[in-house]
Amino acid sequence: MTGKTHASCGLLVGALTIEYFHTDLFTSITVITLAVISSLLPDICHPQSKIGRRFKLISFFIRMIFGHRTFTHSLLFIAIIVCLLYVIQTSSYYLVTIILGLLSHVILDMLTPRGVKLFYPIPINVKFLVVFKTGGLVDISLASALTIGAIYVIFQPFFNNLFLNWL
């Protein structure tokens, strides 16, 4: 999937998290920012990705050591992040946001023909039975649908009031 699709899914993850935890404005902005960043983070292994271009040196070394869609797209990577967040006593809404952002990225990449090495270091590619081309029509449509979903969740109280007044 493209960076836009991952970011739009991260936006939806953030919106759902603030809806679930009923966070204040500052925390909500932080949650959405963390969700988008964490949904892009696994592609740090790709120097041409949105996040790889921002951290070229780190991206270069991760790609050289692990390759693309291996360690950073695995359950091991997510478990290490969870442990680190737990050790530094991260608030539950931030913890949930980051984990779901990472998971959203891996799940979306499992929808591509290449799949991911979910159980890295075991060299098994994992992908869904139905896959879609990165950057294709389904990818673009999915990014649009996820963004619309996120906007709806964020502005749901406004939409509900609008519809109630309209009726």
Side-chain angles (χ1 to χ4, degrees):
M1 296 291 151
T2 63
K4 289 178 182 128
T5 307
H6 290 302
S8 63
C9 192
L11 183 64
L12 180 59
V13 163
L16 291 169
T17 304
I18 62 176
E19 178 69 21
Y20 180 79
F21 285 101
H22 303 289
T23 57
D24 60 56
L25 180 61
F26 176 77
T27 304
S28 297
I29 292 168
T30 307
V31 163
I32 288 178
T33 303
L34 285 172
V36 172
I37 291 170
S38 64
S39 71
L40 295 171
L41 183 63
D43 273 344
I44 191 75
C45 63
H46 190 341
Q48 297 306 314
S49 67
K50 287 191 182 296
I51 200 157
R53 288 191 305 258
R54 304 284 187 277
F55 300 96
K56 291 182 188 283
L57 192 59
I58 295 169
S59 180
F60 173 77
F61 282 115
I62 291 174
R63 174 91 180 215
M64 208 168 75
I65 295 168
F66 299 108
H68 183 50
R69 289 192 182 179
T70 57
F71 173 67
T72 61
H73 287 68
S74 70
L75 294 175
L76 175 62
F77 178 72
I78 295 170
I80 290 169
I81 298 293
V82 168
C83 290
L84 290 172
L85 292 172
Y86 183 76
V87 165
I88 63 172
Q89 299 178 348
T90 305
S91 300
S92 58
Y93 40 83
Y94 294 146
L95 180 74
V96 167
T97 299
I98 293 168
I99 293 166
L100 291 178
L102 293 169
L103 283 171
S104 74
H105 184 105
V106 172
I107 290 167
L108 286 173
D109 277 355
M110 288 168 58
L111 285 168
T112 64
R114 186 168 175 201
V116 299
K117 301 253 190 290
L118 188 63
F119 304 108
Y120 183 87
I122 300 170
I124 299 171
N125 259 8
V126 178
K127 60 184 175 181
F128 289 111
L129 294 175
V130 177
V131 294
F132 306 101
K133 180 183 165 202
T134 299
L137 183 60
V138 172
D139 191 356
I140 295 166
S141 301
L142 188 57
S144 300
L146 291 167
T147 302
I148 291 168
I151 290 168
Y152 176 75
V153 170
I154 292 169
F155 294 105
Q156 184 177 7
F158 172 75
F159 290 136
N160 288 345
N161 284 337
L162 184 69
F163 292 133
L164 286 175
N165 291 334
W166 184 63
L167 295 175

